[in-house]
């Protein structure tokens, strides 16, 4: 892993994407180091940071956001990302965000750093955030940490990243019920049933609506066209969806889980824990030339059922976001 160089990143001038990527790589979970080489991860991380840096100067996007969210008295420059000094040796790239694009739920994302943060930096980070974005009255600062869930006192839960190499998940020895299978999804005929399944979960668990959302028809069609969306079958009956999309999350060559859903009539039968294995096998069959990818899921830490199911299915918690209340 590359070593941190305190002189490598000027804490006042806007950094480069590659400089931010080098610091981000230092914050990653040790388990992920075996899944891709540093020199492969750095360019992927840099590409993600290029978007962060673009939003520090893109006045067209800032004007669009100012028009969309329309905070009184705040002109477009207020919506730009900011490279903000935090302390003598720390600067942070801060981004104003909105949960689900809802104006009443602003938060600030810690999108890049001059060095990895630690708990001692939190008071200074809080003041830096309020200095830049206080007019938005943000609810919290979101930070990435590879520490275990609830390991950092004073920080709240957010989404966790659970992952494992696709090939390892596909090779798991498990007694999959013979009636449970996947087949490639052909069209959107079952989307209404999937929407009803989400609505039932939202009614049963009100917090679920903010923790997970059903994919829309365009996202479903895109996954179908890519051959990466599958119908869950119990016997010959449609029982849900399972699908992924390719990306480079955390700088890893990965498939992010786009949907894993069981309709209410098929829950409580022990099927859920087997869907990850079936999905990994289906993806390898659909994309046999990409066996080195990681199956990656983002699950809210308060979604205890989905989180524990992912761990039981062979994925590991490799860190996630935490919240510093403002």
């Amino acid at each position: 892993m590359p070593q941190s160089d305190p002189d490598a990143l000027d804490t006042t001038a806007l950094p480069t994407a590659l400089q931010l990527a080098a610091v981000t790589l230092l914050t990653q979970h040790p388990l992920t180091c075996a899944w891709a080489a540093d020199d492969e991860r750095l360019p992927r991380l840099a590409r993600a940071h290029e978007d962060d840096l673009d939003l520090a100067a893109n006045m067209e996007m800032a004007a669009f956001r100012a028009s969309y969210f329309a905070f009184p008295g705040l002109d477009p420059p207020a919506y730009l990302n900011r490279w903000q000094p935090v302390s003598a040796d720390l600067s942070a790239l801060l981004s104003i965000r909105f949960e689900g694009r809802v104006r009443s739920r602003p938060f600030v994302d810690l999108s890049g750093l001059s060095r990895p943060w630690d708990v001692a930096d939190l008071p200074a980070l809080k003041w830096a955030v309020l200095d830049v974005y206080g007019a938005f009255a943000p609810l919290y600062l979101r930070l990435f940490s590879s520490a275990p869930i609830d390991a950092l006192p004073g920080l709240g839960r957010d989404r966790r990243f659970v992952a494992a190499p696709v090939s390892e998940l596909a090779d798991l020895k498990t007694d999959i019920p013979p009636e449970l299978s996947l087949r490639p999804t052909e069209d959107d005929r079952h989307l209404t049933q999937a929407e009803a399944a989400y609505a039932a979960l939202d009614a049963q668990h009100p917090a679920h609506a903010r923790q997970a959302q059903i994919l829309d028809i365009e996202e479903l069609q895109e996954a179908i066209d890519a051959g990466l969306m599958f119908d869950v079958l119990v016997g010959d009956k449609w029982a849900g969806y399972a699908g992924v999309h390719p990306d480079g999350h955390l700088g890893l060559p990965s498939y992010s889980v786009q949907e894993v859903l069981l309709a209410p009539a098929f829950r409580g039968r022990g099927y859920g824990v087997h869907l990850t294995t079936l999905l990994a096998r289906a993806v390898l069959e659909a994309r046999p030339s990409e066996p080195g990818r990681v199956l990656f899921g983002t699950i809210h830490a308060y979604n205890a059922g989905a989180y524990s199911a992912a761990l039981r299915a062979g994925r590991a918690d490799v860190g996630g976001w935490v919240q510093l209340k403002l």
Side-chain angles (χ1 to χ4, degrees):
M1 235 174 162
Q3 297 300 306
S4 179
D5 179 358
D7 299 319
L9 194 47
D10 190 327
T11 58
T12 57
L14 197 66
T16 67
L18 195 58
Q19 287 173 322
L20 290 177
V23 176
T24 299
L25 188 58
L26 291 172
T27 69
Q28 300 303 300
H29 194 285
L31 185 61
T32 67
C33 297
W35 295 345
D38 288 355
D39 59 0
E40 295 176 3
R41 295 182 75 175
L42 274 171
R44 296 189 187 100
L45 289 168
R47 284 193 289 274
H49 283 305
E50 285 172 1
D51 293 335
D52 297 324
L53 291 170
D54 177 66
L55 291 176
N58 190 327
M59 287 304 301
E60 182 178 354
M61 179 58 69
F64 170 80
R65 298 181 82 203
S67 173
Y68 184 89
F69 294 109
F71 275 75
L74 294 182
D75 295 328
Y79 292 81
L80 291 171
N81 287 4
R82 288 278 296 275
W83 180 243
Q84 181 74 1
V86 176
S87 62
D89 67 336
L90 178 63
S91 287
L93 186 61
L94 304 174
S95 310
I96 186 66
R97 306 281 183 90
F98 301 86
E99 286 186 19
R101 298 183 181 178
V102 176
R103 183 179 181 276
S104 63
R105 298 203 59 81
F107 70 97
V108 176
D109 188 60
L110 187 59
S111 300
L113 288 161
S114 59
R115 64 161 172 79
W117 68 272
D118 59 41
V119 172
D121 295 315
L122 294 178
L125 279 166
K126 180 175 181 177
W127 285 114
V129 167
L130 293 175
D131 183 46
V132 175
Y133 293 122
F136 291 93
L139 303 173
Y140 57 87
L141 171 66
R142 187 178 75 174
L143 314 90
F144 173 81
S145 172
S146 62
I149 193 169
D150 295 334
L152 300 170
L155 295 174
R157 289 181 165 192
D158 203 292
R159 297 179 188 275
R160 304 299 299 179
F161 305 147
V162 286
V166 174
S167 58
E168 290 184 11
L169 293 169
D171 286 343
L172 285 176
K173 306 303 180 185
T174 180
D175 293 325
I176 296 175
E179 70 273 18
L180 186 66
S181 65
L182 300 185
R183 72 177 177 199
T185 301
E186 297 179 348
D187 51 43
D188 62 3
R189 76 182 74 173
H190 296 294
L191 183 57
T192 300
Q193 291 170 263
E195 291 169 343
Y198 264 77
L201 275 174
D202 293 346
Q204 187 177 2
H205 305 286
H208 182 264
R210 284 178 53 196
Q211 295 170 359
Q213 293 80 40
I214 183 69
L215 75 174
D216 61 32
I217 191 169
E218 290 81 11
E219 292 169 329
L220 176 62
Q221 190 58 54
E222 184 178 348
I224 291 171
D225 293 342
L228 294 173
M229 183 60 66
F230 305 91
D231 292 333
V232 180
L233 300 179
V234 175
D236 60 355
K237 295 180 179 179
W238 183 88
Y241 283 135
V244 301
H245 63 85
D247 62 17
H249 206 84
L250 297 186
L252 296 167
S254 58
Y255 292 113
S256 281
V257 175
Q258 190 169 25
E259 191 62 75
V260 173
L261 169 71
L262 274 174
F266 299 96
R267 294 189 192 125
R269 304 188 192 183
Y271 292 148
V273 71
H274 300 291
L275 292 182
T276 293
T277 302
L278 287 172
L279 180 57
R281 293 173 181 175
V283 166
L284 279 182
E285 184 175 348
R287 299 283 183 93
S289 63
E290 300 179 348
R293 285 187 181 263
V294 173
L295 188 68
F296 193 100
T298 304
I299 299 173
H300 202 287
Y302 285 115
N303 190 344
Y307 178 73
S308 61
L311 298 182
R312 291 197 310 273
R315 287 188 273 166
D317 185 325
V318 295
W321 291 310
V322 291
Q323 297 181 4
L324 173 64
K325 188 175 180 180
L326 299 174

